[in-house]
């Protein structure tokens, strides 16, 4: 235990220590902590659906009607009829033949990649891909070749020059989780076609955010049907929990049989599934929620850019405010908190050394007045700390 204590002390000296903070959400964008009310600018609740009356009602009714736990894995006794309904709705939303739910987005990435890729196969992975993709690559027995962020010349070169006796898989975040920029999917699909590689896109931060009706990255490029594995989550804009794979029926049948994170874990509770289903139906009925989100994000981005902040080329609801130094990013977030605003300071190892930042996330549920307050606070503190 002394070794652990020393490791923690070292982490603290490097300004990289993480602590859990308790919040009590009041609504989609306000939370209480230690007796004070805060404006939430750090959640991935992009459409505010966690607190939509229909979503809450669906979760409550499912609990009252079906109970609180599923009681088993999907392949044993946990395959509630609600699963089928949500998977059919997800497949229609993503314009694919079929879809399969996992318990989290993390488990989806780990299960999909480790079951599709084995010895002799090669994965081509963007250097800024999410940790769950990285862990999926590690769990597979294939070789992982990392290409520079959105560097299509390097990807082309690696596809040509990397020996591979088996399958090739190119995997990328659709919207990058810490930078908020978008994968160059048109180039990726073209290169994959030439190299006979599979394409997998993680739409965790793209679902409900980009593309017509919020249908995600492939839809935003007009490439629906050309991505072999479309992965996403219900945990961000869809106000619930869970991950999914959408694709061909054969892909889904394969994952049901081979993806260990699907097979060996208890199915999600009925309330979680019902909430996800209600949220997805609301998104389909009210695509204007996506327009509101994008208008809110554009407003805050413009204010920050005009003040001189670098937002890393983001065009989505994730606005990185580049700071550089880890201690400075922590100080920045602390001063914002004193102003009643919750923003995350993102430090290594989540981002590379020297690339620490605030990660500001916008929701359709934020008002213009709230976004103006956030922008003013970030500008004032940014000047005080010498960031701008
Ligand atoms: N992929 C990306 C790009 C993510 O940002 C996240 C979550 N932060 C995940 C996957 C994992 O999703 P979940 O939180 O549902 O496990």
């Amino acid at each position: 235990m002394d070794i652990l204590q020393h490791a923690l002390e070292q982490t603290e000296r490097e300004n990289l220590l993480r602590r859990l903070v308790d919040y009590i959400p009041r609504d989609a964008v306000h939370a209480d902590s230690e007796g004070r009310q805060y404006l939430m600018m750090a959640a991935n609740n992009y459409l505010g659906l966690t607190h939509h009356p229909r979503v809450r009602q669906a979760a409550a009714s499912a609990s009252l009607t079906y109970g609180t736990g599923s009681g088993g894995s999907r392949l044993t006794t946990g395959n509630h009829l609600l699963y089928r309904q949500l998977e059919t709705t997800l497949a229609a939303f993503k314009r694919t033949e079929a879809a399969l739910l996992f318990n989290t987005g993390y488990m989806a990435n780990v299960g999909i990649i480790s079951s599709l890729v084995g010895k002799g196969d090669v994965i081509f992975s963007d250097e800024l891909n999410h940790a769950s993709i990285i862990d999926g690559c590690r769990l597979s027995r294939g070789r992982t070749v990392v290409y520079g962020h959105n560097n299509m010349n390097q990807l082309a070169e690696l596809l040509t020059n990397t020996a591979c006796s088996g399958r090739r898989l190119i995997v990328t975040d659709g919207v990058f989780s810490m930078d908020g920029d978008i994968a160059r999917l048109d180039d990726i699909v073209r290169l994959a076609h030439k190299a006979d590689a599979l394409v997998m896109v993680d739409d965790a931060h793209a679902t409900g955010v980009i593309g017509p009706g919020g249908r995600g990255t492939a839809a935003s490029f007009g490439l629906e049907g050309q991505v072999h594995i479309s992965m996403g989550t219900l945990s961000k804009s869809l106000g619930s929990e869970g991950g999914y794979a959408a694709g061909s029926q054969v892909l889904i049948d394969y994952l049901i049989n081979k993806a260990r994170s699907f097979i060996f874990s208890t199915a999600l509770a009925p309330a979680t599934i019902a909430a996800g289903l209600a949220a997805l139906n609301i998104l389909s009925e009210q695509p204007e929620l996506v327009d509101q989100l994008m208008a809110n994000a554009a407003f805050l981005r413009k204010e920050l850019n005009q003040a001189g902040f670098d937002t890393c080329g983001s065009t989505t609801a994730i606005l990185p405010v580049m700071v550089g130094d880890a201690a400075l990013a922590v100080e920045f977030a602390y001063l914002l908190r004193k102003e009643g605003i919750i923003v995350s300071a993102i430090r290594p190892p989540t981002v590379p050394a020297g690339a620490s930042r605030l990660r500001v996330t916008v929701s359709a549920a934020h008002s213009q007045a709230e976004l103006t307050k956030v922008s003013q606070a970030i500008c004032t503190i940014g000047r005080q700390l010498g960031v701008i």
Side-chain angles (χ1 to χ4, degrees), residues 69-81 83 265-268 270 273:
S70 68
S73 72
R74 297 270 308 272
L75 283 169
T76 56
T77 52
N79 197 33
H80 198 284
L81 192 68
Y83 268 98
S265 190
T266 297
L268 286 171
I273 301 299

Side-chain angles (χ1 to χ4, degrees), residues 50-337:
T50 51
H51 286 69
H52 192 290
R54 258 171 72 192
V55 178
R56 290 203 274 182
Q57 185 59 54
S61 301
S63 270
L64 291 173
T65 313
Y66 303 121
T68 51
S70 68
S73 72
R74 297 270 308 272
L75 283 169
T76 56
T77 52
N79 197 33
H80 198 284
L81 192 68
L82 279 171
Y83 268 98
R84 181 90 54 215
Q85 262 175 282
L86 178 51
E87 286 170 345
T88 306
T89 311
L90 270 171
F93 176 69
K94 298 298 285 185
R95 312 265 156 103
T96 57
E97 278 178 14
L100 183 70
L101 283 155
F102 290 75
N103 288 358
T104 64
Y106 187 99
M107 288 170 74
N109 274 334
V110 164
I112 296 166
I113 298 172
S114 65
S115 62
L116 285 178
V117 176
K119 234 176 158 196
D121 299 336
V122 180
I123 305 166
F124 299 86
S125 178
D126 189 291
E127 67 176 329
L128 295 190
N129 278 344
H130 188 257
S132 54
I133 293 179
I134 296 170
D135 291 355
C137 295
R138 285 179 181 155
L139 258 188
S140 82
R141 299 207 169 111
R143 175 175 170 207
T144 302
V145 175
V146 175
Y147 59 91
H149 178 47
N150 260 338
N151 186 336
M152 295 296 110
N153 289 335
Q154 193 188 6
L155 174 59
E157 191 191 307
L158 288 168
L159 282 166
T160 310
N161 296 331
T162 308
C164 173
S165 57
R167 205 178 270 162
R168 291 180 168 83
L169 171 71
I170 306 174
V171 60
T172 183
D173 278 17
V175 169
F176 286 87
S177 58
M178 295 299 136
D179 288 49
D181 59 340
I182 300 174
R184 292 167 62 177
L185 192 61
D186 46 354
D187 290 331
I188 290 174
V189 165
R190 185 176 48 77
L191 291 172
H193 194 68
K194 237 172 85 186
D196 195 21
L198 295 173
V199 176
M200 171 169 169
V201 176
D202 176 336
D203 263 349
H205 300 279
T207 305
V209 178
I210 63 170
R215 293 205 309 280
T217 312
S220 79
F221 281 92
L223 288 171
E224 278 168 314
Q226 298 197 52
V227 165
H228 302 92
I229 308 116
S230 214
M231 174 270 169
T233 61
L234 305 172
S235 55
K236 281 124 177 125
S237 59
L238 294 175
S240 183
E241 279 173 19
Y244 64 85
S248 62
Q249 186 64 56
V250 67
L251 168 78
I252 299 311
D253 290 342
Y254 180 88
L255 293 174
I256 289 171
N257 283 277
K258 303 286 182 188
R260 292 170 65 83
S261 62
F262 171 84
I263 299 169
F264 295 107
S265 190
T266 297
L268 286 171
T272 308
I273 301 299
L277 183 58
L280 196 54
N281 287 333
I282 291 167
L283 175 58
S284 300
E285 290 161 24
Q286 298 175 38
E288 62 274 14
L289 278 172
V290 180
D291 301 335
Q292 181 63 52
L293 169 66
M294 285 320 236
N296 282 359
F299 171 77
L300 186 55
R301 187 185 319 118
K302 190 163 157 237
E303 296 285 306
L304 296 176
N305 289 155
Q306 275 175 354
F309 286 105
D310 172 9
T311 54
C312 233
S314 164
T315 52
T316 64
I318 299 164
L319 293 179
V321 175
M322 298 309 284
V323 173
D325 179 62
L328 198 57
V330 172
E331 172 78 357
F332 206 145
Y334 170 74
L335 292 174
L336 280 167
R337 195 179 164 84

